[in-house]
Amino acid sequence: MPNTILKSVALSVGLAFGSLTAASAATVDTVLSLVIDVSGSIDGGEYDLQMKGYEDAFRDSSIQNAITDTDGGNRNGSIAVNLIQFGTSASERLGFFVIDSAQKATDFADAIAGVTRHNSTRTGIGEGIQLASSTITDWLKDNSASRAVIDVSGDGTNNAGIAPSTARDAALAADVDAINAIAIESASLQDYFDNNVVGGTNSFSLFASDFDDFDSAIKRKLRAEITGTNPIPLPAGAWLLLSGIGGLAALRRRKKA
């Protein structure tokens, strides 16, 4: 998997809210693809709660502050994000949009509120990952980002299209740094996600006990993805191993630069 201190990004801003068009090149901290399960197992009420969770997250002041935080000049204070829904097939419902202010985060939340559901009965997690990876690759051409992340949420295992593990491995071999997941309602599904979906640098999975709990879980997940941290506590001894690995990774990045 390539290191992505600076990746090339092509701005294809075709959001459903307004007639936004690609402007000048942008440099962002994270390019993020939201990949959302809308298969038949998710009823109308659950779908509304799921989408409202994403909408509320981008209206949340702590998320907005995480996006725009420049960390004393060590960060750009911006992200680029799109939104994909998957069932039997996958569909990009909102194209990439650069968020570099609280107002633009609110604008993106407004756009989420206006998304229509991609009607599809089965669960093609791999289809969602594959489409997310290709949109990121298309975007990573002329502009720059420090990290590329795919954010998957769902309530069931894959039963359509490309296998999630195959799509995951291909994405990580291309331009994606990490694929994270949130399992809804089933603890065993989190194990499935860990084995078949999650992968890459600093990747993780979370569990939401139901769709009501999804709101707080997705905020925690997005905050971690935006800041490039892992929200899962590690055993004390693991920090020694990670510090050594981190030093080697930093040396590799410097050499590559």
Side-chain angles (χ1 to χ4, degrees), residues 22-38:
S24 59
T27 298
V28 300
D29 300 301
T30 304
V31 56
L32 175 65
S33 186
L34 308 176
V35 180
I36 303 171
D37 184 358
V38 295

Side-chain angles (χ1 to χ4, degrees), residues 37-40 86-89 120-124 159-160:
D37 184 358
V38 295
S39 60
F86 69 87
T88 308
S89 60
S120 205
T121 56
R122 303 189 73 187
T123 307
N159 59 23

Side-chain angles (χ1 to χ4, degrees), residues 95-230:
F96 279 108
F97 181 56
V98 172
I99 299 175
D100 57 9
S101 67
Q103 182 57 57
K104 287 186 179 178
T106 299
D107 290 343
F108 189 70
D110 291 341
I112 294 173
V115 166
T116 58
R117 180 171 183 169
H118 174 55
N119 290 318
S120 205
T121 56
R122 303 189 73 187
T123 307
I125 302 170
E127 296 295 311
I129 294 172
Q130 185 177 62
L131 179 58
S133 178
S134 67
T135 61
I136 286 173
T137 293
D138 286 344
W139 212 73
L140 297 175
K141 290 179 181 174
D142 296 327
N143 303 334
S144 59
S146 299
R147 184 168 163 82
V149 178
I150 294 176
D151 171 319
V152 177
S153 67
D155 76 340
T157 59
N158 192 82
N159 59 23
I162 186 174
S165 59
T166 301
R168 173 198 62 198
D169 294 347
L172 295 176
D175 295 302
V176 175
D177 291 295
I179 302 173
N180 305 318
I182 182 167
I184 307 170
E185 292 186 331
S186 169
S188 63
L189 180 63
Q190 186 176 13
D191 292 334
Y192 174 85
F193 281 172
D194 285 337
N195 292 325
N196 296 277
V197 175
V198 172
T201 304
N202 226 16
S203 58
F204 63 89
S205 69
L206 294 179
F207 173 64
S209 58
D210 55 30
F211 282 88
D212 290 311
D213 184 48
F214 182 80
D215 189 279
S216 60
I218 196 60
K219 286 175 183 173
R220 182 184 176 202
K221 186 167 185 276
L222 286 171
R223 193 176 300 109
E225 290 168 336
I226 289 163
T227 57
T229 58
N230 189 318

